Amino acid sequence: KQWYQRRVRACDSAAKAANKCAECDSAECNTMPSPIKCIQGDGSDMTAKNCLPAQGEAAPTKCSQAKFLEYTGLAAGQNYACGACAANSGATCQDCDGNTDAACNTKIETAESFKCYDYEVKEEKLVKKETSVTCQRLKDTAIKCNMPGTAADTTYSVKNNGCGPCVEADKTSNKCADCDEGECNSAFAVTAFVLPLLAAFYFLL
């Protein structure tokens, strides 16, 4: 009788507040729920596995994974895992509501990468760097490269190493121009070189 009384009493208030104990109000209702499934680890094994709670902790209800940063790729330092993203990690982590049938933190679908050129200041001019950079994109993301516009000066910084579109304000002010093919953003270097020559030629005429 004494053992039975211990088994049917309500949760301790502190344990309930910490989600270490839960109550229910029907016969035989206190069976443990089935664990959710999440993909776990560095992505080398994409098999969904049960998420078991750590000792004294509530069972996870969410799965998490690295966030895909458009034109950059997956954020570094974030594995597939059971449980919600850590506080203040929204820039690099995303989570989803777990279920018992299949993992929700599946591989993010991407499209083929492409290349764009970055720019740097040399001899007080914005010039195209010698080597193009690789840009990553999601499955439905269009190819875009950006470059300095006609109003850009040496204080202008090309966005995302040349990958992706212009910031709208920079495009409106002609500080940035964009295009929609791989390595298409090399034109500024040609324009910046040719226009002064044309102006000088016209002046001589």
Side-chain angles (χ1 to χ4, degrees):
K1 183 179 179 180
Q2 194 173 32
W3 174 85
Y4 175 77
Q5 288 175 339
R6 286 200 302 268
R7 294 286 290 177
V8 298
R9 71 183 183 183
C11 291
D12 175 86
S13 58
K16 188 174 181 180
N19 293 320
K20 294 181 179 180
C21 180
E23 299 171 354
C24 55
D25 55 9
S26 60
E28 297 182 345
C29 64
N30 61 333
T31 56
M32 291 292 290
S34 299
I36 64 168
K37 295 181 183 294
C38 297
I39 295 170
Q40 302 168 41
D42 61 6
S44 56
D45 180 2
M46 297 297 286
T47 305
K49 297 181 178 64
N50 288 340
C51 293
L52 301 177
Q55 184 68 32
E57 294 186 5
T61 59
K62 289 181 176 289
C63 303
S64 56
Q65 66 191 107
K67 179 176 284 187
F68 188 92
L69 308 176
E70 195 70 280
Y71 304 111
T72 300
L74 289 173
Q78 178 68 48
N79 283 343
Y80 293 91
C82 299
C85 294
N88 303 316
S89 64
T92 59
C93 180
Q94 64 185 46
D95 53 33
C96 52
D97 293 327
N99 62 76
T100 59
D101 299 322
C104 62
N105 60 338
T106 53
K107 184 177 180 180
I108 295 172
E109 291 188 79
T110 58
E112 186 178 356
S113 62
F114 61 98
K115 291 181 178 291
C116 296
Y117 286 101
D118 196 5
Y119 282 76
E120 62 185 341
V121 176
K122 278 188 177 180
E123 298 179 356
E124 299 185 5
K125 295 178 184 177
L126 278 167
V127 296
K128 175 176 68 70
K129 291 185 177 180
E130 291 284 331
T131 306
S132 57
V133 298
T134 299
C135 312
Q136 308 292 343
R137 59 183 175 133
L138 292 169
K139 179 183 177 183
D140 297 320
T141 298
I143 293 174
K144 283 281 186 181
C145 297
N146 71 84
M147 56 191 160
T150 55
D153 57 24
T154 54
T155 64
Y156 178 75
S157 178
V158 171
K159 303 300 183 288
N160 295 321
N161 300 318
C163 298
C166 297
V167 174
E168 193 58 37
D170 289 341
K171 190 170 185 177
T172 301
S173 62
N174 293 319
K175 290 183 178 181
C176 179
D178 50 31
C179 52
D180 55 9
E181 294 180 0
E183 297 184 331
C184 61
N185 63 337
S186 62
F188 175 80
V190 176
T191 304
F193 178 71
V194 171
L195 287 180
L197 289 180
L198 290 176
F201 180 73
Y202 180 82
F203 180 76
L204 289 174
L205 291 177

